[in-house]
Amino acid sequence: MSHEQPRMPQQQQAGDQGQDQDQQMRPQEQQEEEGDQGHGQDPAIKYGDVFDVSGDLASRPVAARDAAMMQSAENTILGQTPAGGIAAVMSSVAGWNEKAGLVGHGAASDIVGREGVTVTETKVPSGRIVTEQVGGQVVGQYVQAQPEQGGDRGGSVEQSAITIGQALEAAGQTAGDKPVERSDAAAILAAEQMATGRNNTIPGGLAAAAQSAAAFNETTLRKEDKIKISQVLLGASEKLGGDRVATRQDALGIENAERWNNPKMEAQPGGVAASVAAAVRINENLKL
């Protein structure tokens, strides 16, 4: 006697198959929906979208209070908020984020709340180097020419070019609390060689001190115990053993040395190469 499996109606079989297919498709559809939602989770304009920054700051939306703090800092140091400057850009972006309902009115980024914003100026012959930072990272650096009044022909202007040593001293002020790294030491060595015309590291010289500082910092855990750029570059003009006016070729060579010795293959914003490049821009404005 044969036993035959009861047959289910075709409509019911089709319905069950459709149900099985639905169950198989749901996880995939759910993943796609979640993926779509993930892409649009936070459309706010962030610091990383506007400035060359990294880490947590890059993922933080630009907020209105951040912009207000930068405007205040610019007014204090520069006497005004430059049109198209860092504060102006931050204010425009923060306004868009706020109007879109992506950032609360009067909100501030947590990193900016902790570390603040800074605008510093480094005096150099015939001008100043202005550096602006948000949350400890450089978001802008530029030069402003300021002719020195002098001469014996009433109202005539006498202007001085910036040397490599003076540019290094400016870097010490701009990136002063940054621990010395291999890329910094390489840039300082390139600067020393260009200033002195020598192809070797001068024993006991500026580059030798920078190399020793970088080696020490690599084996030192606490940041507060590491040797800072300001300590190495203090009085750089005298320590070089020779100096001359910074040129575009110098700036390019120093930047390459800094990049090639950086794992990210990039120059440090507000660092040694950036300071020399800023000095060269002032020199070129003087039409030397």
Side-chain angles (χ1 to χ4, degrees):
M1 182 174 176
S2 64
H3 295 279
E4 184 175 346
Q5 184 74 17
R7 293 184 179 179
M8 299 174 61
Q10 291 183 355
Q11 184 175 2
Q12 184 177 353
Q13 287 180 344
D16 289 346
Q17 290 175 357
Q19 184 176 3
D20 291 341
Q21 291 177 353
D22 286 345
Q23 289 176 348
Q24 292 174 357
M25 292 176 64
R26 278 176 190 165
Q28 182 177 357
E29 292 173 353
Q30 185 176 1
Q31 289 177 358
E32 291 176 355
E33 289 179 2
E34 289 175 353
D36 293 340
Q37 291 175 358
H39 285 298
Q41 272 183 353
D42 187 3
I45 301 177
K46 305 173 183 64
Y47 279 99
D49 299 325
V50 184
F51 303 112
D52 183 17
V53 295
S54 59
D56 292 338
L57 180 63
S59 64
R60 296 297 193 274
V62 181
R65 196 179 301 174
D66 303 352
M69 291 170 65
M70 183 58 80
Q71 287 176 340
S72 177
E74 286 186 348
N75 284 326
T76 299
I77 301 300
L78 308 178
Q80 62 176 345
T81 300
I86 300 299
V89 171
M90 290 175 62
S91 180
S92 176
V93 172
W96 188 92
N97 283 341
E98 192 172 308
K99 287 179 182 178
L102 302 171
V103 176
H105 178 68
S109 301
D110 57 342
I111 295 177
V112 177
R114 290 195 309 269
E115 302 185 32
V117 304
T118 59
V119 177
T120 59
E121 62 174 356
T122 303
K123 297 289 187 180
V124 292
S126 305
R128 61 180 176 177
I129 302 173
V130 179
T131 305
E132 305 193 36
Q133 298 184 353
V134 174
Q137 297 193 49
V138 176
V139 294
Q141 186 178 60
Y142 51 94
V143 296
Q144 290 184 334
Q146 295 177 321
E148 296 174 351
Q149 298 297 326
D152 52 8
R153 292 180 298 173
S156 65
V157 175
E158 181 179 343
Q159 297 176 318
S160 302
I162 303 174
T163 67
I164 294 174
Q166 290 168 333
L168 292 179
E169 291 176 355
Q173 296 179 46
T174 301
D177 61 348
K178 175 185 177 296
V180 181
E181 300 177 0
R182 285 185 180 271
S183 58
D184 303 315
I188 293 170
L189 173 60
E192 181 180 80
Q193 291 176 340
M194 292 172 184
T196 62
R198 298 177 61 170
N199 294 325
N200 63 313
T201 302
I202 301 174
L206 190 66
Q211 292 169 348
S212 297
F216 174 84
N217 288 346
E218 288 180 349
T219 59
T220 303
L221 297 179
R222 299 198 311 168
K223 183 178 179 179
E224 55 268 30
D225 294 334
K226 295 185 177 184
I227 301 173
K228 310 299 190 295
I229 287 184
S230 59
Q231 296 171 289
V232 172
L233 295 180
L234 181 65
S237 297
E238 298 176 0
K239 295 177 182 177
L240 276 176
D243 205 0
R244 63 174 175 79
V245 172
T247 66
R248 180 174 291 274
Q249 186 176 0
D250 298 330
L252 180 60
I254 293 168
E255 180 182 359
N256 286 338
E258 191 169 308
R259 284 180 182 274
W260 293 339
N261 288 274
N262 186 328
K264 296 181 180 179
M265 290 297 292
E266 61 185 19
Q268 173 71 29
V272 174
S275 181
V276 176
V280 170
R281 287 195 292 271
I282 291 180
N283 291 345
E284 291 181 343
N285 288 337
L286 297 177
K287 298 182 180 179
L288 294 174

